[in-house]
Amino acid sequence: MKTDRTSPTNTSEYIAGFPPAVQRVLRRVRSTIRKAMPGAEEAISYGIPAFKQDGVLLGFAASAKHCSIHPMNGHTVADFAPDLAGFSTSTGTIRFTPGKPLPAAL
């Protein structure tokens, strides 16, 4: 869980604010997204790391109890519902833990 009260200005600062186990997960998520979206630009949007290309495409985050991916549209979670069985989801959020990360292929 983040311990300081300052807002990060980039993804590396955001990730550095978490314990090592969470940092490893966030770095893996970041790397996977970079490979899947090579033309996207990294930014901080809504206080979390995000990838932008003609708008925000995807964000990711961590909290005290889980990590999350935030597709910035209303259909991705529903489109992949069968693959997300076993993960906590809502319309725009996919939650997972460091102990049970999302498969990279997903």
Side-chain angles (χ1 to χ4, degrees):
M1 185 161 107
K2 291 193 67 61
T3 56
D4 63 32
R5 299 272 180 199
T6 60
S7 297
T9 59
N10 61 53
T11 301
S12 295
E13 285 180 9
Y14 181 91
I15 292 171
F18 291 93
V22 175
Q23 288 182 29
R24 283 189 293 279
V25 172
L26 294 176
R27 283 194 301 269
R28 189 174 1 170
V29 167
R30 180 187 196 186
S31 175
T32 301
I33 295 169
R34 278 182 173 166
K35 289 176 186 170
M37 301 176 177
E41 171 189 340
E42 285 190 34
I44 296 293
S45 183
Y46 300 102
I48 64 171
F51 285 80
K52 295 176 156 185
Q53 188 171 8
D54 298 323
V56 180
L57 301 172
L58 182 75
F60 64 96
S63 67
K65 296 184 180 190
H66 65 267
C67 297
S68 54
I69 302 269
H70 303 276
M72 300 296 183
N73 62 55
H75 62 84
T76 298
V77 175
D79 291 349
F80 288 92
D83 299 310
L84 295 170
F87 293 98
S88 172
T89 63
S90 62
T91 303
T93 305
I94 303 162
R95 292 171 206 85
F96 57 96
T97 63
K100 186 181 176 188
L102 287 173
L106 186 58

